Amino acid sequence: MKVIVSDCDHESMQIETDVLAKAGLGFTHMAARTQDEVIEQCKGGNIILNQYGKFDERVFTALPEVKQIVRYGVGVDNVDLAAATRHGVQVCNVPDYGMHEVSDHALALMMALIRKIPATVSHTRNRDWDFRKMAPIRRITEMTIGVLGAGRIGGLFARKVLPLGKEVLVCDLNKKDLESRIPGVRQVDMDELLAKSDVLSIHCPLSDETRNLINAERLKSMKQGAFLINTARGGIVDEEALADLLEAGVLGGAALDCVAQEPIDKKSRLLDMDNVFLTPHMAYYSEESSAELKRKVAEEAVRFAKGEPVHYPVNTL
């Protein structure tokens, strides 16, 4: 089978080269992001290793040779899964490569928000030695921590914060019986999660169901002074509504590792808010997770090429 990397911005492809070569496979490395570029550059490819390139009905129709797409990462929102299934294309991802990194990043953002670490460091660096300017700061053990999306990463985050807060609430749109799977948490519906959480950490995938899930109405239903954290996907939170409520003082702060438009619009109001922390979609990153991702993407392609069962199917053919 012919393997094509539709696009990948990593500095080195040595890991993929080694894994594929061991199986007798090579690959062609392209730089296709738009639909037209994907169609032009991925002709003749059977297995596509994909990072950002868009695959939809038009692309699948134009590339009938494609039989598998393996996504560099967890989210597959740049691939139309229904169209892929109609065209007999197996879509795979790597859902377990950065679980600790993302949950650790969310935890770090949570602590920075609650303890107001960036603002404190900035004030102190400017020779302003006065902790009272950081008031009020609440005790973490008196706070309720909410987790929206309790899959691999959300579940791991919930386990990590269980010893920290007063209570950990979890809500998942698909999973049932979370309390037995994550002992110590309390499973609630969306309304209760928003109303009772002092901190809300988002860990659900982006889909038609979750796009703008945290909209203006739901943001207004959150607790006065609550903190919001999103290390999942941009597009889940209505960022304009979030900015409005932060400016109005309804919410205490927000920390976003991902936004709807990346890189973020330089005119975004969020960039100018002292109680908003933005990181450049890096929660997944460590040297170890990066290497694991590249290895697992290549190994999934090898399994498919050999006719073996894939480990991480996203759609069912």
Side-chain angles (χ1 to χ4, degrees), residues 120-129:
T120 303
V121 170
S122 177
H123 277 259
T124 306
R125 183 176 289 126
N126 289 324
R127 281 62 177 176
D128 189 354
W129 191 272

Side-chain angles (χ1 to χ4, degrees), residues 1 18-26 302 306:
M1 285 190 168
D18 292 344
V19 172
L20 293 169
K22 188 175 179 180
L25 296 169
V302 168
K306 289 183 175 181

Side-chain angles (χ1 to χ4, degrees), residues 145-212:
I145 301 168
V147 184
L148 176 58
R152 290 178 175 88
I153 295 171
L156 187 56
F157 174 79
R159 292 182 182 93
K160 289 179 178 180
V161 298
L162 267 170
L164 303 179
K166 178 176 68 175
E167 185 177 33
V168 176
L169 307 178
V170 293
C171 174
D172 195 286
L173 302 180
N174 301 310
K175 293 179 173 59
K176 297 179 180 179
D177 195 21
L178 297 175
E179 293 176 5
S180 64
R181 194 166 62 84
I182 314 172
V185 305
R186 185 162 70 87
Q187 186 170 357
V188 297
D189 61 20
M190 176 76 76
D191 291 341
E192 186 172 357
L193 182 78
L194 296 173
K196 293 187 176 179
S197 296
D198 296 292
V199 178
L200 175 65
S201 190
I202 298 171
H203 297 281
C204 55
L206 179 63
S207 65
D208 291 339
E209 184 181 16
T210 62
R211 191 175 300 279
N212 279 331

Side-chain angles (χ1 to χ4, degrees), residues 57-127:
E57 179 70 36
R58 174 173 169 249
V59 173
F60 289 122
T61 299
L63 300 175
E65 302 91 347
V66 173
K67 302 302 177 186
Q68 184 199 31
I69 294 174
V70 189
R71 171 106 221 300
Y72 280 99
V74 180
V76 290
D77 42 287
N78 59 324
V79 179
D80 184 331
L81 295 179
T85 303
R86 284 194 298 272
H87 287 266
V89 178
Q90 178 68 73
V91 180
C92 303
N93 64 349
V94 186
D96 58 355
Y97 79 100
M99 297 188 300
H100 278 287
E101 285 77 5
V102 177
S103 56
D104 286 348
H105 200 81
L107 177 59
L109 292 174
M110 182 186 83
M111 298 298 285
L113 278 169
I114 294 171
R115 296 300 306 172
K116 301 184 179 179
I117 299 299
T120 303
V121 170
S122 177
H123 277 259
T124 306
R125 183 176 289 126
N126 289 324
R127 281 62 177 176

